[in-house]
């Protein structure tokens, strides 16, 4: 048993590596699961990696807080989107100084409320409406006089996002989403419709301590139009801190964090640089899925900075604002299947593996399994990790991946 512990709510995916980050300073991790059953798309983690596992049930949150209080965690933090509100509630109930509190928890999760919160705080924000009524949505889209994005209020991973050129398209998107379930299994009764932002998109990852924010890494996002999805993410490339856009993105991002009441912990901000300046697409107050890719490219990322934020605040505050240094060019990329059926094989995957900057190839849909046309993150058939000392080589390889991918990549039987 370690001398002290923290609790991570829903430590799945990338946030499972919190165990290693906290272990490096002699701290154990208690895993708090927000649901008895695994949420859609969640891969189980080894319970032996944690000092204890608690599972939230139907009981009053105070009961779970009492169970957790016995273990005396130094902090309670979310591991993924589904854990944000429970982590806020537990840390507040335990009286922890590192709690972000519950007053703005809903705004940190609900895609509509977070944009409205920015507007109240005077932070430039996009136009939007929340509704479950087709007539109201049509009327709003008519006033918008442009493309709209319709999506679940509490979605993630691009699930259920629809790009709508006219009012009838928006009404059809609402009809298609209503009474289905979100990426987290919630029943959808209303959607948020937002103006489509034109501009380059970036990911700004941060960690905060006592209301002081620092940028850990910034990524440019590559998108394609495929399978009826206008902006499907296919790659993200780690930017140098010296890139001229980083400072502008950081200044805007810090205003977003302040507006959402983020004082402690990791955040993942998706921001577009529009002709009118930066605008938030959406924010997640938890680690991004990218820390894995920065380990050798930077040396430390959100997970390591979060350890300091929660356990070594003096060290955090002494280093906050120091620019990260990119040692090598880094990116992740995904293949996009245009076909559905039983996968027989990938015709050019060996060529992808042989590209100079490709370091890892994760095959998520294997021959003999069913494959579907990719429309959101959990439908990528193959994901790549790329590194190279020369960025031009990495970008050449990213372009080659796009050339090799397509209908000719997939051998499929009906």
């Amino acid at each position: 048993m370690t001398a002290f512990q923290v609790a991570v709510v829903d430590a799945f995916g990338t946030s499972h590596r919190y165990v290693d980050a906290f272990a490096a300073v002699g701290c154990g991790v208690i895993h708090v699961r927000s649901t008895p059953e695994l949420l859609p798309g969640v891969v189980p983690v080894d319970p032996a990696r944690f000092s204890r596992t608690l599972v939230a049930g139907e009981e009053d949150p105070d009961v779970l807080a009492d169970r957790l209080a016995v273990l005396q965690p130094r902090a309670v933090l979310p591991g993924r989107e589904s854990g944000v509100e429970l982590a806020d509630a537990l840390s507040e109930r335990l009286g922890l100084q590192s709690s972000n509190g519950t007053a703005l928890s809903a705004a940190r999760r609900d895609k509509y409320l977070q944009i409205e919160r920015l507007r109240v705080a005077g932070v430039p924000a996009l136009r939007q409406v929340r509704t479950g009524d087709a007539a109201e949505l049509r009327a709003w889209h008519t006033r918008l006089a442009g493309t709209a994005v319709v999506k679940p209020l509490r979605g993630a991973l691009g699930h259920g996002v629809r790009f709508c050129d006219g009012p009838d398209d928006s009404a059809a998107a609402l009809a298609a989403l209503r009474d289905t379930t979100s990426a987290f299994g919630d029943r959808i009764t209303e959607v948020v419709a937002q103006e489509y932002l034109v501009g380059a998109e970036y990911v700004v990852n941060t960690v905060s301590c006592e209301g002081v924010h620092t940028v850990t890494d910034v990524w440019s996002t590559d998108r394609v139009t495929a399978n009826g999805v206008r902006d499907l993410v296919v790659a993200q490339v780690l930017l140098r801190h010296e890139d001229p856009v980083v400072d502008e993105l950081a200044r805007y991002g810090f205003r977003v964090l302040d507006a959402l009441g983020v004082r402690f912990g990791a955040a993942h901000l998706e921001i577009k640089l529009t002709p009118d300046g930066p605008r938030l697409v959406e924010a997640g107050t938890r680690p991004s899925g990218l820390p894995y890719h920065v380990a050798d490219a930077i040396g430390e990322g959100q997970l390591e900075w979060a350890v300091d934020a929660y356990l070594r605040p003096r060290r955090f505050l002494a280093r906050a604002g120091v620019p990260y240094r990119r040692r090598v060019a880094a990116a992740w990329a995904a293949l996009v299947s245009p076909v559905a059926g039983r996968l027989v094989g990938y015709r050019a995957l060996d060529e992808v593996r042989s590209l100079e900057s490709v370091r890892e190839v994760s095959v998520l849909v294997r021959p003999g399994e069913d494959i579907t046309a990719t429309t959101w993150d959990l439908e990528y058939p193959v994901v790549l990790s790329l590194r190279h000392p020369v960025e031009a080589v990495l970008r050449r390889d990213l372009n080659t991946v796009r050339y090799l991918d397509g209908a000719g990549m997939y051998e499929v039987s009906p």
Side-chain angles (χ1 to χ4, degrees):
M1 178 69 71
T2 51
F4 56 102
Q5 304 176 93
V6 298
V8 178
V9 182
D10 288 348
F12 300 105
T14 298
S15 63
H16 186 229
R17 292 184 56 241
Y18 264 137
V19 175
D20 301 318
F22 281 104
V25 296
C27 179
V29 173
I30 304 160
H31 190 194
V32 179
R33 285 180 45 179
S34 67
T35 57
E37 303 296 328
L38 291 178
L39 292 170
V42 172
V43 178
V45 294
D46 182 3
R49 297 260 289 154
F50 302 97
S51 57
R52 187 75 63 87
T53 296
L54 301 180
V55 181
E58 299 298 328
E59 72 267 27
D60 187 286
D62 286 331
V63 175
L64 180 60
D66 290 342
R67 292 166 59 199
L68 185 58
V70 173
L71 303 176
Q72 299 182 315
R74 298 276 188 94
V76 182
L77 52 147
R80 67 194 302 265
E81 196 76 9
S82 57
V84 168
E85 289 169 303
L86 181 56
D88 288 343
L90 291 173
S91 60
E92 185 176 79
R93 281 172 166 82
L94 295 181
L96 299 173
Q97 293 298 311
S98 58
S99 177
N100 286 322
T102 58
L104 294 175
S105 279
R108 292 191 283 267
R109 276 287 289 116
D110 186 297
K111 310 306 181 187
Y112 173 82
L113 292 178
Q114 63 184 221
I115 297 298
E116 292 305 298
R117 178 61 195 168
L118 298 194
R119 210 180 314 282
V120 168
V123 180
L126 52 73
R127 292 171 289 173
Q128 64 172 3
V129 66
R130 178 180 62 195
T131 184
D133 181 79
E136 181 183 20
L137 181 54
R138 278 194 177 93
W140 176 86
H141 196 154
T142 298
R143 294 191 300 272
L144 177 69
T147 300
V149 181
V150 176
K151 60 186 179 182
L153 292 167
R154 290 169 170 257
L157 304 171
H159 180 258
V161 176
R162 311 294 175 91
F163 297 86
C164 306
D165 290 322
D168 289 342
D169 297 330
S170 288
L174 171 61
L177 288 170
R178 187 191 283 120
D179 294 328
T180 63
T181 55
S182 73
F184 298 109
D186 301 318
R187 180 172 171 264
I188 298 172
T189 58
E190 292 183 307
V191 298
V192 56
Q194 300 173 326
E195 65 173 309
Y196 175 73
L197 297 172
V198 176
E201 185 168 332
Y202 300 89
V203 168
V204 180
N205 291 324
T206 66
V207 176
S208 305
C209 176
E210 298 179 8
V212 175
H213 316 300
T214 197
V215 172
T216 58
D217 46 289
V218 179
W219 303 70
S220 63
T221 299
D222 292 343
R223 294 178 178 267
V224 299
T225 296
N227 301 326
V229 180
R230 182 166 305 182
D231 280 354
L232 185 62
V233 178
V234 292
Q236 288 175 321
V237 180
L238 178 65
L239 298 183
R240 297 181 184 274
H241 192 279
E242 301 89 340
D243 192 296
V245 304
V246 169
D247 284 343
E248 183 179 9
L249 292 168
R251 287 193 300 269
Y252 178 82
F254 291 173
R255 295 179 67 188
V256 170
L257 296 173
D258 289 339
L260 295 178
V262 177
R263 299 190 67 253
F264 282 89
H268 170 80
L269 309 177
E270 298 175 11
I271 300 172
K272 276 197 174 182
L273 274 184
T274 76
D276 297 320
R279 295 291 186 272
L280 181 72
V281 177
E282 58 185 55
T285 53
R286 40 70 184 173
S288 79
L290 296 167
Y292 169 81
H293 299 277
V294 304
D296 57 348
I298 296 177
E300 61 180 348
Q302 283 183 300
L303 305 185
E304 292 78 15
W305 274 94
V307 170
D308 283 354
Y310 289 107
L311 299 181
R312 304 187 293 191
R314 289 185 180 179
R315 186 172 188 266
F316 179 101
L317 296 173
R319 299 194 303 138
V322 175
Y324 67 84
R325 185 175 66 86
R326 195 186 75 176
R327 299 170 180 172
V328 296
W332 75 268
L335 300 190
V336 174
S337 167
V339 298
R342 182 62 57 87
L343 180 66
V344 176
Y346 297 96
R347 294 191 178 98
L349 194 56
D350 286 343
E351 291 181 62
V352 171
R353 286 193 176 96
S354 69
L355 294 174
E356 192 173 346
S357 66
V358 170
R359 293 291 176 267
E360 294 183 25
V361 177
S362 298
V363 179
L364 305 180
V365 179
R366 300 183 178 280
E369 297 177 340
D370 290 336
I371 192 168
T372 188
T374 306
T375 60
W376 64 301
D377 293 14
L378 294 187
E379 292 176 341
Y380 294 133
V382 176
V383 174
L384 314 172
S385 180
L386 302 92
R387 309 279 189 284
H388 200 276
V390 179
E391 183 169 329
V393 173
L394 180 141
R395 290 193 176 273
R396 178 204 66 196
D397 290 349
L398 285 173
N399 290 334
T400 304
V401 169
R402 297 275 70 82
Y403 169 75
L404 293 172
D405 197 15
M409 171 67 80
Y410 307 90
E411 184 180 355
V412 176
S413 62

